[in-house]
Amino acid sequence: MQPNTSATWQGRIPCFEKLLVISAVLRVVLILYSEWHDAHSIVKYTDIDYRVFSDAARFILYPKLQGNTAKGPLAPLFFTVGDPYARETYRYTPLLAILLLPNEWLHPSFGKYLFAACDLINGALIYQILMLHILPHTKSLAPDVSAENSKRFMRAYATLLAATHLLNPLVFTISTRGSSEAILCTFVLLTLFYALERRHNAAAVMLGLSAHWKIYPIIYGVSCVSVITLQHVDGEGWDFAYLRRLVGRQALCFALLSGGTFIILGAVCYAMWGYPFLYEAYLYHTDRRDHRHNFSPYFYLIYLTYSSSGSTSADLPIWRQLLRSPFTSLIPQLTLSLGTGLILGRLSADLPFVWFVQTFTFVLFNRVCTSQYFIWYTLFIPLLVPRITISWKKWVMCGVVWMGTQALWLAEAYKLEFLGDDVFFGLWVRSLIYVAGHAWVLGVIMSGYTPFVSCNQHTQAPE
């Protein structure tokens, strides 16, 4: 896409501030509609998770409700506070319930407006990252044009790419239905922004906060450490200097600061809410056995080996214990997500691509996968587009395969969920097709990505 041939489309794109206003109005309208819809329909627009969040906030605010006082060792020493984990299926950090306290004293939809506001912040962060760290170093976008025209082109292009997130139906639907994923995306993008700015201490703190909020962002620590290491060694190989720096002072400082943030936040929450926090937020997921259907093909193996007769795992054969164990699925998942972070992490300018690959593989091979998980990696796509050189036909094919495999799975899942048909095996086959299709999409994107070094004729760009 060249600036000298794109004056027409540039003129049709509103400025970024107008895009934010349009995005905000869209979300406000949907939230107002959700209130009307929920009041007049049996099938609710609001996600069931939002009710869980709201109930957890109510339990914190009213500790006398059903005797749900916090069970932490230090809770009685300061003040009486409620226990959000008295709400069944609340398996998140208590900080989320605290953020949603205004649901009780201000308005029941406060949380939705908060999530929508995070959507807008995420769009602004994507725009800033594009303007400061992606587009200025993508020389093929603006050859032989004046600085003024190049700047105008970059603003229009960054606005267009940010719009693919802000106006993405998956994004604004999930946030206005009451899913909290937008908050986590804000923390992750802030971590990425600080890492690109080489403000490693701030990035480490944000990474610790992100991992506290939901554990999966911890995988980004590997690529951050790899980037920090390679900034202080010559070359890009796996030589002795690289390995020595991998456990050097800068890398160790980053690991200690991010890990310390995670531990401090966890310790504070444990002091107030005790073992229920520790179990529901973290330990539950280490022993989670979801035999109900989801995109992951693991569900069928667990379904076949699931014991409903009350027998323990020790009573089962070894092979059934292995199939049921959540740790079995971690082997391919962590090998790919951590391995790609270590191998691909070379320059900080490539971190958006590296994090995309890490997150994609983490989600694809997770033992539980629902539609909202896809936001974890689609968040980075606007940051990759300027450096991906594949034809528009391949882009279309990727979109068709990505959405088509999901639609194929959903059509079969409908028969199981709503019609009660015994289609477990057919659903499992479609889960395998989903994995194969999404893996192909990832391969196409990876093959079409132009690394930062290649974009700049092997010269280090200023950051």
Side-chain angles (χ1 to χ4, degrees):
M1 190 179 296
Q2 306 295 339
N4 56 350
T5 61
S6 57
T8 302
W9 72 263
Q10 288 184 54
R12 294 176 180 175
I13 296 178
C15 65
F16 182 71
E17 290 74 15
K18 289 183 179 179
L19 173 63
L20 281 181
V21 171
I22 293 171
S23 302
V25 170
L26 171 64
R27 284 160 173 79
V28 170
V29 169
L30 285 173
I31 293 172
L32 294 175
Y33 167 77
S34 73
E35 296 174 0
W36 177 88
H37 180 97
D38 291 349
H40 294 83
S41 176
I42 297 177
V43 180
K44 306 301 181 184
Y45 179 89
T46 301
D47 195 305
I48 184 64
D49 284 345
Y50 189 72
R51 300 185 208 171
V52 174
F53 303 154
S54 300
D55 290 344
R58 186 180 310 113
F59 284 156
I60 285 183
L61 198 58
Y62 303 111
K64 302 299 182 182
L65 188 64
Q66 299 178 354
N68 64 311
T69 55
K71 300 173 179 61
L74 299 184
L77 301 181
F78 298 99
F79 53 89
T80 302
V81 64
D83 181 11
Y85 301 103
R87 183 19 166 126
E88 188 178 359
T89 72
Y90 183 78
R91 299 188 175 99
Y92 310 88
T93 171
L95 301 183
L96 175 59
I98 291 174
L99 281 180
L100 267 59
L101 289 178
N103 277 14
E104 283 299 306
W105 69 60
L106 190 60
H107 193 278
S109 293
F110 169 83
K112 294 181 181 180
Y113 288 105
L114 175 64
F115 304 153
C118 286
D119 272 351
L120 303 183
I121 294 173
N122 296 339
L125 286 170
I126 289 172
Y127 180 83
Q128 285 299 316
I129 292 173
L130 285 166
M131 290 296 295
L132 296 176
H133 296 285
I134 305 296
L135 298 182
H137 306 306
T138 309
K139 301 298 184 183
S140 60
L141 288 177
D144 304 324
V145 295
S146 66
E148 179 63 28
N149 288 337
S150 176
K151 195 71 174 180
R152 188 181 302 115
F153 172 80
M154 284 196 298
R155 285 196 294 265
Y157 196 20
T159 299
L160 179 64
L161 292 173
T164 63
H165 176 80
L166 289 170
L167 302 181
N168 185 335
L170 181 66
V171 173
F172 62 69
T173 300
I174 284 179
S175 61
T176 56
R177 291 188 66 210
S179 173
S180 63
E181 297 299 330
I183 296 180
L184 177 63
C185 291
T186 300
F187 294 154
V188 168
L189 283 174
L190 282 172
T191 307
L192 177 61
F193 177 77
Y194 289 133
L196 292 173
E197 292 280 320
R198 296 191 178 183
R199 297 168 60 181
H200 297 310
N201 289 344
V205 171
M206 288 306 306
L207 180 61
L209 175 58
S210 302
H212 169 81
W213 203 265
K214 190 162 287 187
I215 196 67
Y216 87 86
I218 201 171
I219 63 177
Y220 303 143
V222 172
S223 50
C224 286
V225 168
S226 183
V227 165
I228 293 171
T229 300
L230 285 167
Q231 286 173 358
H232 296 88
V233 297
D234 295 327
E236 301 180 5
W238 289 72
D239 55 12
F240 177 75
Y242 172 79
L243 296 176
R244 183 167 56 84
R245 286 284 185 175
L246 200 59
V247 292
R249 183 176 62 85
Q250 292 85 0
L252 186 61
C253 180
F254 182 91
L256 289 175
L257 193 53
S258 58
T261 302
F262 175 81
I263 291 172
I264 290 172
L265 288 172
V268 170
C269 291
Y270 178 82
M272 292 302 301
W273 289 281
Y275 182 75
F277 153 72
L278 201 60
Y279 176 77
E280 298 292 352
Y282 301 116
L283 298 181
Y284 166 80
H285 299 281
T286 66
D287 195 43
R288 183 178 182 182
R289 295 184 177 90
D290 288 284
H291 66 288
R292 296 301 298 168
H293 58 283
N294 62 82
F295 282 107
S296 171
Y298 286 112
F299 92 89
Y300 191 57
L301 296 176
I302 301 171
Y303 169 75
L304 292 177
T305 59
Y306 191 82
S307 175
S308 59
S309 60
S311 61
T312 63
S313 294
D315 301 324
L316 299 174
I318 296 278
W319 69 272
R320 293 188 68 178
Q321 294 182 40
L322 289 175
L323 289 177
R324 293 183 69 203
S325 174
F327 295 102
T328 301
S329 63
L330 289 178
I331 297 174
Q333 183 185 32
L334 293 185
T335 299
L336 289 171
S337 58
L338 296 180
T340 52
L342 191 62
I343 295 173
L344 299 178
R346 287 293 180 253
L347 294 173
S348 60
D350 287 323
L351 277 180
F353 169 71
V354 179
W355 288 16
F356 169 79
V357 175
Q358 286 187 275
T359 314
F360 201 119
T361 55
F362 185 91
V363 171
L364 187 60
F365 293 96
N366 198 32
R367 64 188 292 105
V368 178
C369 180
T370 60
S371 296
Q372 67 186 32
Y373 290 12
F374 299 146
I375 290 182
W376 297 354
Y377 62 80
T378 57
L379 178 71
F380 302 112
I381 289 181
L383 305 176
L384 306 184
V385 170
R387 291 184 183 159
I388 296 178
T389 54
I390 60 177
S391 66
W392 67 268
K393 292 182 179 179
K394 272 198 172 181
W395 273 119
V396 172
M397 192 178 299
C398 284
V400 169
V401 172
W402 189 79
M403 291 185 291
T405 53
Q406 295 175 54
L408 185 69
W409 184 93
L410 289 169
E412 194 77 351
Y414 173 82
K415 300 176 184 178
L416 176 63
E417 187 71 20
F418 294 98
L419 304 181
D421 295 345
D422 184 6
V423 292
F424 279 99
F425 180 78
L427 193 60
W428 176 68
V429 172
R430 297 186 184 211
S431 293
L432 295 178
I433 296 174
Y434 147 79
V435 170
H438 281 218
W440 178 83
V441 171
L442 176 61
V444 171
I445 293 176
M446 291 180 66
S447 64
Y449 180 77
T450 304
F452 176 82
V453 175
S454 299
C455 283
N456 294 276
Q457 291 75 45
H458 300 278
T459 59
Q460 179 73 38
E463 293 198 33

